[in-house]
Amino acid sequence: MSAMSRLGLGLAALGRPAYINVGRADELPDERGVAAMRAATRRVLDAAYAAGIRWVDTARSYGLAEEFLAGWLDGHDDVTVSSKWGYAYVGGWRMDAPRHEVKEHSAERFRTQLAESRALLGDRLSLYQVHSLTDDSPLFRDGPLLAELAQAAADGLRLGFSTSGPRQAETIGRALGLEVEGRPLFSAVQSTWNVLETSAEQALREAHEQGLHVLVKETLANGRLAVDPPEELVALAEIRGVGPDAVALAAALSRPWADTVLIGAVSEPQLHANLAATRITLGEAELAALAGAAVPPARYWAERAALPWA
C-alpha cells in the first residue's frame, strides 16, 4: 500500500471559524464567514483528491464540516467518510465564543447526532466514532447507550472511537474489551500519535493486530510540529530538504500499525508541504533520533489544553 493511499484529510480546522491549530490563521481568509470557510474547505478537498487522498474524517462538532463535505461528495464516489458523535458545536460561528463545543456521551446524543450525520451524509457515512472517549467515560457503564450502539452495528453501521488525554492507552485497552452479547462493539480506533506524544503506540499496535482499523490524528500536534518543531525534527528536515511537517508525517507513516494517517491542512500550500512526507522514508537511525523529542503525556496534554482558539 502506497504512502499516499494511507493518508486521510481531517476537517477539524476547516469546518468552523476558530480552532486550536497553530499556524492556521495566516492560511485562511481574514473574513471567516460560512461562505469563505466552505470555499476554503472545497479547495483543500479538491487538492487532496487530486493528490490521491481518498479518506476524509469529520465530526458533528466541527462546525459545518459535515455540511461542507456533503456538498462536495457528489462525483467523488471512491472517498471513504468517517465522522464522530459525542461533542456538539456551540460556538455560534463566533471567533470569541466563550465555549466552542460541549461533550456528552449519552444515548440521546448518539441518537440525535446519528440522525443529523445521516441527513447530511446518507449512506456515504462509512464509520461513526465516539468522539474523544476516555477511560472514565460514562459510556462504559451506560446500558441503554451500549444497546443502541450494538443495534446500530447490527444494522450495518461500522463503529469506532477516538481518544484523547494522557490515558489514551488505558482507554484503548478498555474499549477493545467492550462487547455486547459476546460481540466486539468497535472495529476502528482513532488516537493522537506524533513525535511528541507516543504513549499510545503499544495499545494501537495491539488494536491493529486484533483487526481494528487504526487512524492516527494530530500528527503535527495541532500545528506545533510545523511552527515550533523540536530540534530533532529541525535537524532531520534540513538533511532531507523538506519541512518539519513532512518529517513528522513520515514518522507517523513509518508505523506499520497506522492504517490511516490524518492530516489537517487548511490551504493548498499547507497540504502540498505535508504531502512531501510521501516522498521520504525515514531510516532506523532517523526514527531513533526523533524518539528523543517525546515528552511525558501529562505535559503534552497540558500544553495542548493551553492552545488558544483562534
Side-chain angles (χ1 to χ4, degrees):
M1 183 179 291
S2 69
M4 188 67 73
S5 67
R6 292 171 61 206
L7 290 178
L9 178 67
L11 300 183
L14 279 166
R16 48 197 165 181
Y19 191 51
I20 60 173
N21 272 21
V22 180
R24 170 180 182 265
D26 291 342
E27 300 293 323
L28 290 172
D30 292 335
E31 192 281 311
R32 294 186 205 163
V34 172
M37 293 304 292
R38 179 183 285 110
T41 302
R42 179 172 287 274
R43 286 193 296 271
V44 176
L45 284 167
D46 284 342
Y49 188 85
I53 291 175
R54 294 295 184 269
W55 190 300
V56 181
D57 184 72
T58 184
R60 284 303 305 148
S61 64
Y62 294 173
L64 296 177
E66 282 189 339
E67 179 183 324
F68 294 168
L69 177 58
W72 176 86
L73 279 173
D74 285 347
H76 301 92
D77 297 336
D78 54 346
V79 171
T80 297
V81 175
S82 55
S83 192
K84 310 179 199 73
W85 70 273
Y87 272 91
Y89 177 65
V90 295
W93 212 263
R94 289 174 50 193
M95 295 287 293
D96 61 346
R99 199 170 187 182
H100 295 270
E101 53 189 15
V102 175
K103 182 178 182 179
E104 179 185 319
H105 289 163
S106 69
E108 181 179 1
R109 174 63 60 85
F110 170 68
R111 194 181 313 121
T112 298
Q113 293 197 315
L114 177 58
E116 293 168 343
S117 293
R118 280 180 163 161
L120 290 167
L121 300 169
D123 60 5
R124 299 301 304 275
L125 180 62
S126 300
L127 172 65
Y128 211 42
Q129 304 155 99
V130 185
H131 201 163
S132 292
L133 188 65
T134 55
D135 66 334
D136 60 352
S137 170
L139 175 144
F140 289 106
R141 55 187 181 275
D142 188 331
L145 171 56
L146 294 175
E148 290 214 25
L149 289 169
Q151 186 59 56
D155 291 341
L157 180 63
R158 188 180 183 191
L159 298 179
F161 62 98
S162 73
T163 66
S164 62
R167 292 177 58 82
Q168 288 190 110
E170 291 83 354
T171 302
I172 295 166
R174 189 172 183 185
L176 290 183
L178 191 57
E179 297 183 346
V180 177
E181 297 182 356
R183 296 182 179 181
L185 190 60
F186 299 118
S187 61
V189 53
Q190 179 178 152
S191 295
T192 294
W193 185 96
N194 56 60
V195 299
L196 296 176
E197 213 313 36
T198 62
S199 64
E201 178 152 355
Q202 180 59 32
L204 292 171
R205 182 183 295 110
E206 292 173 1
H208 175 81
E209 291 171 352
Q210 291 183 34
L212 276 76
H213 188 99
V214 175
L215 298 96
V216 177
K217 64 183 175 75
E218 297 185 9
T219 46
L220 298 184
N222 297 98
R224 286 186 285 159
L225 292 175
V227 175
D228 186 22
E231 60 183 17
E232 296 90 345
L233 203 57
V234 172
L236 273 181
E238 291 178 350
I239 292 170
R240 288 297 195 134
V242 296
D245 56 327
V247 175
L249 284 165
L253 287 166
S254 76
R255 268 54 190 177
W257 46 261
D259 298 297
T260 300
V261 174
L262 297 172
I263 58 179
V266 299
S267 68
E268 292 176 76
Q270 269 193 355
L271 176 72
H272 291 302
N274 291 173
L275 295 184
T278 63
R279 301 194 295 272
I280 60 175
T281 300
L282 300 177
E284 291 184 9
E286 292 172 311
L287 293 171
L290 285 179
V295 300
R299 173 183 161 188
Y300 175 87
W301 290 97
E303 291 174 349
R304 183 189 185 279
L307 295 174
W309 287 73

